[in-house]
Protein backbone atom coordinates (compact mmCIF):
# COMPACT_ATOMS: atom_id res chain seq x y z
CA UNK A 1 0.00 0.00 0.00
CA UNK A 2 2.83 2.38 0.87
CA UNK A 3 4.53 1.90 -2.49
CA UNK A 4 1.29 2.46 -4.40
CA UNK A 5 0.50 5.55 -2.35
CA UNK A 6 4.00 6.86 -2.95
CA UNK A 7 3.67 6.31 -6.70
CA UNK A 8 0.29 8.04 -6.72
CA UNK A 9 1.67 10.92 -4.68
CA UNK A 10 4.47 11.29 -7.20
CA UNK A 11 1.94 11.15 -10.02
CA UNK A 12 -0.10 13.93 -8.44
CA UNK A 13 3.01 16.09 -8.48
CA UNK A 14 3.89 15.09 -12.01
CA UNK A 15 0.38 15.88 -13.16
CA UNK A 16 0.90 19.40 -11.84
CA UNK A 17 -1.69 19.04 -9.12
CA UNK A 18 0.03 21.65 -7.01
CA UNK A 19 -3.18 23.63 -6.70
CA UNK A 20 -5.05 20.55 -5.44
CA UNK A 21 -2.36 19.92 -2.85
CA UNK A 22 -2.49 23.56 -1.74
CA UNK A 23 -6.27 23.39 -1.36
CA UNK A 24 -6.00 20.25 0.73
CA UNK A 25 -3.35 21.91 2.90
CA UNK A 26 -5.63 24.91 3.48
CA UNK A 27 -8.58 22.70 4.40
CA UNK A 28 -6.41 20.73 6.80
CA UNK A 29 -4.90 23.80 8.46
CA UNK A 30 -8.10 25.84 8.67
CA UNK A 31 -10.10 22.99 10.16
CA UNK A 32 -7.33 22.01 12.58
CA UNK A 33 -6.87 25.59 13.83
CA UNK A 34 -10.59 26.34 13.54
CA UNK A 35 -9.80 29.39 11.43
CA UNK A 36 -11.59 30.79 8.38
CA UNK A 37 -14.27 28.14 8.77
CA UNK A 38 -16.57 30.20 6.54
CA UNK A 39 -14.24 29.39 3.62
CA UNK A 40 -14.24 25.62 4.12
CA UNK A 41 -17.32 24.90 2.00
CA UNK A 42 -15.96 26.65 -1.09
CA UNK A 43 -12.50 25.17 -0.56
CA UNK A 44 -13.97 21.68 -0.35
CA UNK A 45 -16.13 22.24 -3.42
CA UNK A 46 -13.17 23.56 -5.41
CA UNK A 47 -11.02 20.65 -4.24
CA UNK A 48 -13.62 18.13 -5.40
CA UNK A 49 -13.83 19.82 -8.80
CA UNK A 50 -10.04 19.77 -9.21
CA UNK A 51 -9.85 16.15 -8.08
CA UNK A 52 -12.56 15.12 -10.55
CA UNK A 53 -10.48 16.63 -13.35
CA UNK A 54 -7.40 14.72 -12.22
CA UNK A 55 -9.14 11.45 -11.37
CA UNK A 56 -8.94 9.88 -14.86
CA UNK A 57 -5.22 10.65 -15.02
CA UNK A 58 -4.65 9.24 -11.54
CA UNK A 59 -6.55 6.09 -12.45
CA UNK A 60 -4.37 5.64 -15.53
CA UNK A 61 -1.22 6.13 -13.42
CA UNK A 62 -2.53 3.64 -10.87
CA UNK A 63 -3.20 1.05 -13.57
CA UNK A 64 0.28 1.49 -14.97
CA UNK A 65 1.83 1.26 -11.49
CA UNK A 66 -0.05 -1.90 -10.53
CA UNK A 67 0.74 -3.65 -13.80
CA UNK A 68 4.44 -3.17 -13.29
CA UNK A 69 4.43 -3.98 -9.55
Amino acid sequence: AHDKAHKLKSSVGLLQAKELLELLDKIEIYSLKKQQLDQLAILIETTIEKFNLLKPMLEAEYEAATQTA
Side-chain angles (χ1 to χ4, degrees), residues 24-35 40:
L24 290 167
D25 280 341
K26 283 183 182 180
I27 292 168
E28 182 180 29
I29 291 166
Y30 291 171
S31 55
L32 180 67
K33 294 184 177 184
K34 301 200 183 322
Q35 296 175 341
L40 282 180

Side-chain angles (χ1 to χ4, degrees), residues 9-42:
K9 182 179 172 186
S10 297
S11 297
V12 168
L14 292 173
L15 294 170
Q16 300 180 15
K18 182 179 177 185
E19 187 175 352
L20 179 61
L21 294 171
E22 290 172 355
L23 287 165
L24 290 167
D25 280 341
K26 283 183 182 180
I27 292 168
E28 182 180 29
I29 291 166
Y30 291 171
S31 55
L32 180 67
K33 294 184 177 184
K34 301 200 183 322
Q35 296 175 341
Q36 301 183 37
L37 298 177
D38 58 322
Q39 294 184 23
L40 282 180
I42 191 68

Side-chain angles (χ1 to χ4, degrees), residues 7-8 15 17 29 34 39 42 44 48 52 55-56 60 66:
K7 287 179 183 179
L8 286 173
L15 294 170
I29 291 166
K34 301 200 183 322
Q39 294 184 23
I42 191 68
I44 292 168
I48 291 169
N52 285 335
K55 186 178 177 187
T66 56

